[in-house]
Amino acid sequence: MPEKSKKLFPTVTVILAVALAAGALLLFRGGEEPGPATESSFHGPAQGAGAPAGNATTAENPEDLSPLRGASRPQEDAVVTLAFVDALTDFLVQRYHPAEGATRSTSSATVKALNQRFGRGLDGLAHQDADEGAARTEILNYALASGMIGKLYGLYADWFMEALVQRAVEAPTDLTLAGGRQERRALTRAEIADLLRLNAPRVETLAGTFRAVATHPELAKDLERYLDSARKAATANDRFQEIVSRETPPEKELRKAGDRLKKAIAAREQIRADILDRLRASCQGRCEEDGDSLYTVQWCARRLAGHPERTDALAAAADVLDDLAARFRAKAAELESAAPSNS
């Protein structure tokens, strides 16, 4: 792809495994609820370096994690670049909220938050078309091509796991603690392990939703029925509110509008319940929460429209996400087992 077509980003060498798993399939949601893009705040080792090098001991976080390093720097993909990987790494760390007092740690790295962060920015993704919508389509066609998800994940996964730890322990972050207090510091070894354990089940449930739609693509059509029923309910509600707002609402007209609204809502909720029941049966207990499931199915429906062959890409994404969750748990255990005896 011509160099002049690429967006300009800082030279970066920190990588991902959430990139294709959560990124290439999630960030292009057709512009739903987009948020402003921001450049990455962390920059890894210089170009041409191997694994992340140097002593991971800083004044703010004196923990030596050098024994955990071992991944080789991958060759950068022409479209999904290292800058994209870096931004996703930042996203995961910045959305972690460490425990504070009796308040347990949380992560706000949700599907919707990921979309809001990357939905329009296309950070670190090279494209030829200057038009935002056309560029998104161009990148989607690339990422959802046969075999591409597995290829990109295989390219970046090992390095991302090492880079995520390095970024978390070396780069101070503006943290919002679980209790609400603000701190600027790097994460501790225990907090990085906690971050990974918190996100592992979320990644697995997302895999369950992708796999359900890949196995039962008719769910995408059911979702279109749900969206249509939701529009009808909204129209009925607008009509009802318009009548109610009158100084002297006609009783008969008000009653009819109320009945139409009740029926529209009941129809919408029945379709919604049917979709969720089918999803739960397909996910076998590994589904996202209801709202997140519908959000993901809606994305899948848009991606499958006119491209039924993309069910293979959804199935590949599910496999990648399952592997990523396993890597998160393995890295968390590695961090914990490598802790100094006096820590």
Side-chain angles (χ1 to χ4, degrees), residues 128-139:
Q128 292 179 318
D129 205 303
D131 176 75
E132 179 185 293
R136 185 179 293 109
T137 298
E138 178 187 331
I139 297 167

Side-chain angles (χ1 to χ4, degrees), residues 1 19-21 23-28 77 79-80 84 125-126 135-153 299 303 310 312-314 316-317 320:
M1 186 165 293
L20 258 288
L25 282 178
L26 296 180
L27 72 93
F28 310 116
D77 183 74
V79 175
V80 182
F84 174 63
L125 295 156
R136 185 179 293 109
T137 298
E138 178 187 331
I139 297 167
L140 271 170
N141 288 339
Y142 178 84
L144 297 179
S146 178
M148 185 56 67
I149 287 175
K151 175 183 176 181
L152 289 168
Y153 181 76
W299 181 88
R303 304 293 79 79
R310 286 180 176 174
D312 290 342
L314 295 181
V320 160

Side-chain angles (χ1 to χ4, degrees), residues 158-175:
D158 289 342
W159 179 264
F160 171 72
M161 296 309 302
E162 304 299 328
L164 175 59
V165 173
Q166 182 183 350
R167 185 257 179 267
V169 80
E170 290 188 354
T173 299
D174 291 322
L175 297 170

Side-chain angles (χ1 to χ4, degrees), residues 216-230:
H216 302 285
E218 65 273 13
L219 284 167
K221 295 181 179 179
D222 290 342
L223 186 87
E224 290 304 315
R225 291 175 50 234
Y226 168 73
L227 295 175
D228 182 60
S229 69

